[in-house]
Amino acid sequence: MPALVLLGAQWGDEGKGKATDLLGGSVDYVVRYQGGNNAGHTVVVGDQKYALHLLPSGILSPGCTPVIGNGVVVDPAVLLSELSGLAERGVDTSKLLISGNAHLITPYHTTLDKVSERFLGKRKIGTTGRGIGPAYADKINRVGIRVQDLFDESILRQKVEAALDSKNQVLAKLYNRRAIAVDQVVEELLGYADQLSGYVADTTLVLNDAIDQGQVVLFEGGQGTLLDVDHGTYPFVTSSNPTAGGACTGTGVGPTKISRVIGILKAYTTRVGAGPFPTELLDEDGEKLRTIGGERGVTTGRDRRCGWFDAVIARYATRVNGLTDFFLTKLDVLTGWERIPVCVAYEIDGKRVEELPYSQTDFHHATPIYETLPGWSEDITQAKTFDDLPKNAQKYVQALEEMSGAPISAIGVGPGRDETIQINSFL
């Protein structure tokens, strides 16, 4: 079974791009299955750093076909800008495939996203303001616009008219904003048709055929498990399903064809935006993690909130995704701490809780229970094998593995493509 899912096991920003890139040279297809340009991956190749927002990380691997699946929402202007930027740097983007069933983010989606978030005030969710939520809402309400609609002006116009009938009422009467003209939107969207036509394909057929022929397909999730709209810290979540099940609905490949599910786990914890975060550090340690780890959002530019490793959410990720492996990233960031706390459970209303509470109220009131592990001071960025790590770093990895419920098969010891210790092969 040559199909794998690779996803974030925390609140996103775990280093999925590095993990996907590591596998990119060994796989035939890398597929984004959900989210949009609210997700960001940083990939370092040699002395070159690439910030990818919508494109699958596999686009940087020669011989690999990158695919944007039907579960993704696509801002065509952002996509074309990203393709152009990579082409200017000598990256071949001609192999990209885009599902004709993927939904489009339109100008009215980004407008609504920004004004509605401002309108919420203190109750805001912390969205990126890029139109992701409104685009998914239209998809579920069956008034969305798909990539394939760009190639039929009549259908496109009908759909834009239907959408703006109600949205202009909301913009004008609720938010006191100017109505958006149908012709303006249609003209802008039609302008993308010729530029995108060569990329559009029946990706469900392509991917299933590839798997049936024994080719290796890697499904790449955006964001992370705790941002899943069904299984995350709702309502402070994204609008799609980054969990493993989303790979099936977001690509049209059935679950029986997936052989491994790899969770990307940072050696500490971060999150961007609002919402509960039990191990968050609002002190010098939090600032030190942020500075050493370069914890600033690839897409948003916002500083990430930082905290110690949380084994409770790692166990939860193992459960809801059916994880077979972990890829532990950014272990090098912890170098220099004499002692490193790890959250092993929560205290809620005076009781010890070792599994993620299903109640939003309980999770908001969860207090971390820590065990402290010995740290290390040696530089680990040159380590090539597990035995090359300092003993205390080895013990830290082993403790996290035992607490999290799945084997750690790779360890990131630096940002570079080659700064990874491979313990077990993913393929």
Side-chain angles (χ1 to χ4, degrees):
M1 289 290 195
L4 307 88
V5 180
L6 190 148
L7 53 84
Q10 295 158 315
W11 276 286
D13 307 308
E14 302 94 347
K16 294 180 291 295
K18 176 182 175 64
T20 308
D21 183 61
L22 175 71
L23 290 164
S26 305
V27 302
D28 300 294
Y29 292 83
V30 175
V31 191
R32 275 287 305 276
Y33 60 83
Q34 49 72 227
N37 57 302
N38 58 338
H41 299 317
T42 299
V43 178
V44 179
V45 182
D47 60 353
Q48 295 291 307
K49 181 182 287 189
Y50 297 87
L52 304 176
H53 305 280
L54 186 56
L55 291 168
S57 300
I59 201 159
L60 298 174
S61 299
C64 178
T65 299
V67 179
I68 293 176
N70 58 273
V72 179
V73 287
V74 178
D75 185 322
V78 171
L79 175 60
L80 290 169
S81 174
E82 198 164 333
L83 288 169
S84 175
L86 288 176
E88 288 175 3
R89 297 176 68 178
V91 176
D92 179 14
T93 62
S94 62
K95 284 191 162 188
L96 175 68
L97 298 179
I98 306 169
S99 170
N101 289 340
H103 279 247
L104 292 174
I105 299 172
T106 71
Y108 52 79
H109 290 135
T110 52
T111 298
L112 282 165
D113 199 1
K114 290 172 182 175
V115 298
S116 62
E117 183 78 346
R118 280 198 293 268
F119 188 75
L120 288 171
K122 292 181 179 179
R123 294 176 289 114
K124 66 182 180 180
I125 296 168
T127 77
T128 60
R130 285 164 168 78
I132 310 296
Y136 275 117
D138 276 6
K139 175 179 178 176
I140 300 304
N141 285 327
R142 292 161 292 181
V143 293
I145 295 171
R146 300 193 295 181
V147 170
Q148 62 176 279
D149 297 330
L150 294 175
F151 312 111
D152 189 320
E153 183 174 351
S154 176
I155 288 177
L156 178 64
R157 181 171 292 276
Q158 289 175 46
K159 288 190 172 186
V160 172
E161 287 175 347
L164 286 179
D165 275 347
S166 59
K167 286 176 172 51
N168 276 335
Q169 295 290 323
V170 171
L171 283 170
K173 295 180 179 179
L174 180 59
Y175 298 124
N176 195 30
R177 294 296 180 117
R178 191 181 308 164
I180 297 173
V182 171
D183 286 346
Q184 179 182 340
V185 175
V186 171
E187 183 179 352
E188 179 177 334
L189 293 178
L190 286 174
Y192 300 123
D194 287 345
Q195 299 174 78
L196 293 177
S197 61
Y199 298 113
V200 180
D202 182 350
T203 55
T204 294
L205 178 60
V206 170
L207 293 172
N208 277 283
D209 282 350
I211 293 170
D212 291 344
Q213 292 166 18
Q215 293 181 289
V216 181
V217 177
L218 177 65
F219 300 100
E220 175 186 54
Q223 292 91 28
T225 296
L226 275 294
L227 291 178
D228 187 281
V229 68
D230 288 298
H231 304 292
T233 49
Y234 191 90
F236 304 101
V237 293
T238 193
S239 303
S240 59
N241 293 109
T243 45
C248 298
T249 55
T251 64
V253 173
T256 56
K257 294 188 175 182
I258 293 171
S259 54
R260 299 184 84 162
V261 183
I262 304 160
I264 312 306
L265 200 60
K266 196 177 285 185
Y268 49 101
T269 311
T270 63
R271 81 170 295 175
V272 172
F277 183 0
T279 66
E280 182 174 13
L281 295 169
L282 302 174
D283 58 11
E284 290 181 3
D285 282 330
E287 187 57 41
K288 185 176 175 182
L289 285 172
R290 185 178 299 110
T291 301
I292 298 173
E295 297 297 349
R296 174 162 291 186
V298 177
T299 295
T300 64
R302 292 182 289 184
D303 284 343
R304 296 178 186 136
R305 300 157 64 191
C306 296
W308 298 123
F309 184 85
D310 188 333
V312 180
I313 65 172
R315 286 194 291 274
Y316 178 74
T318 301
R319 170 158 50 96
V320 299
N321 292 298
L323 295 179
T324 59
D325 304 82
F326 277 116
F327 187 136
L328 185 70
T329 62
K330 290 197 167 185
L331 183 64
D332 54 300
V333 174
L334 295 180
T335 298
W337 267 273
E338 186 176 345
R339 309 284 292 174
I340 306 172
V342 173
C343 173
V344 296
Y346 301 145
E347 182 180 311
I348 302 173
D349 295 332
K351 296 180 181 178
R352 181 184 174 103
V353 176
E354 297 195 356
E355 297 294 342
L356 195 79
Y358 78 90
S359 161
Q360 176 182 333
T361 301
D362 284 349
F363 193 55
H364 272 275
H365 292 98
T367 301
I369 297 173
Y370 288 112
E371 286 184 9
T372 303
L373 301 174
W376 61 92
S377 59
E378 300 93 329
D379 177 19
I380 66 171
T381 57
Q382 302 303 311
K384 301 301 180 187
T385 69
F386 186 73
D387 289 339
D388 290 340
L389 293 173
K391 291 298 181 185
N392 284 347
Q394 293 181 30
K395 291 177 182 177
Y396 185 81
V397 173
Q398 290 165 341
L400 266 51
E401 180 177 78
E402 185 176 343
M403 294 173 188
S404 302
I408 292 174
S409 295
I411 304 167
V413 294
R417 173 181 268 183
D418 58 343
E419 293 176 317
T420 301
I421 295 171
Q422 188 92 30
I423 300 173
N424 299 307
S425 173
F426 292 126
L427 298 174

